[in-house]
Amino acid sequence: MKYYTILILPILIAEQCYVYEPINSDSIATLTYTSGTTGNPKGVMLTHQNLLHQIKNLWDIVPAKVGDRFLSMLPPWHAYERACEYFIFTNGIQQVYTNMRNLKVSDILSGIMKQITTSSAVRKLVALTFIRVSLAYMDYKRIYEGKCLTTNKKQASYVYSMMDWLWARIIAALLFPVHILAKKLVYNKIHSAIGISKAGISGGGSLPWEVDKFFEAIGVKVQNGYGLTETSPVIAARRPECNVLGSVGHPIHQTKFKIVDSETDEVLPPGSKGILKVKGPQVMKGYFKNPVATSKALDGDGWLDTGDLGWIVPHHSSGRSRHSSGVIVVEGRAKDTIVLSTGLELEVVVATTCP
């Protein structure tokens, strides 16, 4: 009996001395250090509210259900991977891990094309013809569905829009039988080899236009998203019902975007290119013990300067972009930055040599 008393006594004393601090939604849940693209790494203070916002609102992007299986490629320390993990486990979804060395989207595409180009001359011709037809079909389909991108603030006339819609509809109808045949003979085999039954969610880096178009053509749905470590990270994403190629979709719930001039900080109208700023419940509390960096990134009203260049598609009630209104297009960093396959960001510096 004395033996047990000796072991328990220090624990009881420690419990009596320790003061438990209450945790609320604004308490820091995690410190995630950025890669330090603009200097020393900074500790991003993400709160419980930040992470809970992701868990609650990623459902709009990924309408998954219990029993679904996710394949994750990003490292577990990546902000996007962590948010996805919280969402996945909260909703009873299975998680399977790999890494970028074993599986890359670009490698999948190059592998498919390599298999096609190394086939017999007849099979190669048929497969490439099918892909070209499907690419053209999806281009015209995008036009008549009103899911094209435009920076034009002026809306086309109703008559012109109707004629454009009719022409795209006719061409798409002519190409559709070949596209369906290609799906049965070629694309279904590709789907089985890839193993993606519902959709692929792209994030953590830019999605090349040609890759986006190729997967659309063969019927593999890819939903591109956008975010930063400082935003927990997702702030915008393409939805299943509004998957506009070339964009990162609409802002997620409770999130606001604005485009400002890089020199004057003046808010620019839709269609104008400038610096992306974002505000919402997922925006970080600040940088750990770094008030100077925090004040540079966050203004007094809670707007975060993403450091990215982009624009918002203007609102049109008719024409090619009538269902693309409000989607966000990210064109790159205000400063040149390379995102590695591991998620690490490196700032580009021009090298000089001594004479």
Side-chain angles (χ1 to χ4, degrees):
M1 192 67 181
K2 291 182 180 180
Y3 175 74
Y4 287 103
T5 303
I6 293 171
L7 285 177
I8 294 173
L9 185 59
I11 298 174
L12 294 175
I13 294 173
E15 288 181 348
Q16 291 173 359
C17 296
Y18 186 80
V19 178
Y20 291 93
E21 297 180 3
I23 295 175
N24 55 45
S25 60
D26 197 46
S27 298
I28 299 172
T30 182
L31 276 176
T32 304
Y33 277 80
T34 63
S35 305
T37 56
T38 57
N40 293 325
K42 299 182 286 290
V44 178
M45 296 187 290
L46 298 180
T47 66
H48 291 276
Q49 174 184 264
N50 296 150
L51 299 176
L52 285 171
H53 175 271
Q54 300 287 287
I55 294 172
K56 293 176 181 177
N57 293 288
L58 288 182
W59 190 268
D60 293 337
I61 307 165
V62 189
K65 60 183 181 181
V66 176
D68 282 349
R69 184 176 297 173
F70 276 57
L71 176 64
S72 296
M73 292 177 282
L74 289 173
W77 47 260
H78 197 282
Y80 183 45
E81 176 64 29
R82 288 186 66 181
C84 288
E85 283 181 352
Y86 297 150
F87 168 77
I88 288 168
F89 297 148
T90 301
N91 291 284
I93 302 167
Q94 296 181 38
Q95 175 88 326
V96 179
Y97 294 94
T98 183
N99 57 50
M100 299 296 287
R101 293 180 181 178
N102 295 328
L103 182 62
K104 292 182 183 178
V105 174
S106 57
D107 288 345
I108 295 174
L109 176 57
S110 60
I112 293 170
M113 296 308 298
K114 183 179 179 181
Q115 190 169 0
I116 291 173
T117 54
T118 55
S119 301
S120 64
V122 175
R123 287 188 176 184
K124 177 182 175 181
L125 177 62
V126 171
L128 292 178
T129 301
F130 277 152
I131 291 173
R132 291 191 187 100
V133 170
S134 293
L135 286 169
Y137 166 73
M138 296 308 299
D139 284 341
Y140 285 105
K141 184 173 183 284
R142 214 176 300 120
I143 292 172
Y144 76 71
E145 286 184 345
K147 293 182 179 179
C148 296
L149 298 175
T150 181
T151 57
N152 195 348
K153 302 175 183 66
K154 186 178 179 181
Q155 181 174 295
S157 68
Y158 183 75
V159 174
Y160 176 84
S161 297
M162 282 298 296
M163 295 299 294
D164 189 46
W165 176 88
L166 182 60
W167 173 252
R169 190 81 181 185
I170 291 171
I171 300 300
L174 294 174
L175 297 174
F176 181 69
V178 181
H179 174 68
I180 292 299
L181 183 62
K183 185 177 180 180
K184 291 183 177 180
L185 297 180
V186 179
Y187 304 156
N188 285 343
K189 295 178 181 178
I190 296 176
H191 290 189
S192 299
I194 295 175
I196 299 176
S197 59
K198 289 190 175 181
I201 311 298
S202 175
S206 61
L207 179 63
W209 173 251
E210 63 275 9
V211 175
D212 209 359
K213 285 190 66 176
F214 175 80
F215 282 112
E216 180 197 44
I218 66 172
V220 176
K221 185 180 292 184
V222 177
Q223 294 171 230
N224 195 21
Y226 169 63
L228 303 88
T229 303
E230 288 85 346
T231 56
S232 309
V234 184
I235 46 181
R238 296 181 346 202
R239 273 55 163 192
E241 69 279 2
C242 187
N243 198 7
V244 181
L245 264 67
S247 77
V248 294
H250 290 95
I252 65 174
H253 188 54
Q254 298 178 313
T255 306
K256 297 178 181 178
F257 269 86
K258 66 179 179 180
I259 309 295
V260 301
D261 185 270
S262 59
E263 300 293 334
T264 64
D265 205 41
E266 178 185 356
V267 178
L268 301 175
S272 300
K273 181 178 175 181
I275 301 293
L276 282 164
K277 288 196 173 184
V278 63
K279 182 179 181 180
Q282 71 273 58
V283 174
M284 67 171 181
K285 192 172 185 176
Y287 294 116
F288 184 62
K289 294 184 178 180
N290 197 339
V292 175
T294 299
S295 62
K296 288 181 179 179
L298 280 169
D299 65 19
D301 295 323
W303 286 96
L304 175 72
D305 185 342
T306 66
D308 289 323
L309 296 172
W311 49 280
I312 299 173
V313 176
H315 174 73
H316 291 165
S317 59
S318 63
R320 296 186 175 191
S321 62
R322 65 187 182 278
H323 291 148
S324 303
S325 303
V327 301
I328 300 155
V329 180
V330 180
E331 295 198 346
R333 296 287 293 172
K335 292 184 178 181
D336 293 330
T337 304
I338 297 174
V339 182
L340 302 181
S341 60
T342 59
L344 183 67
E345 296 181 356
L346 300 176
E347 188 172 338
V348 177
V349 179
V350 178
T352 58
T353 57
C354 297

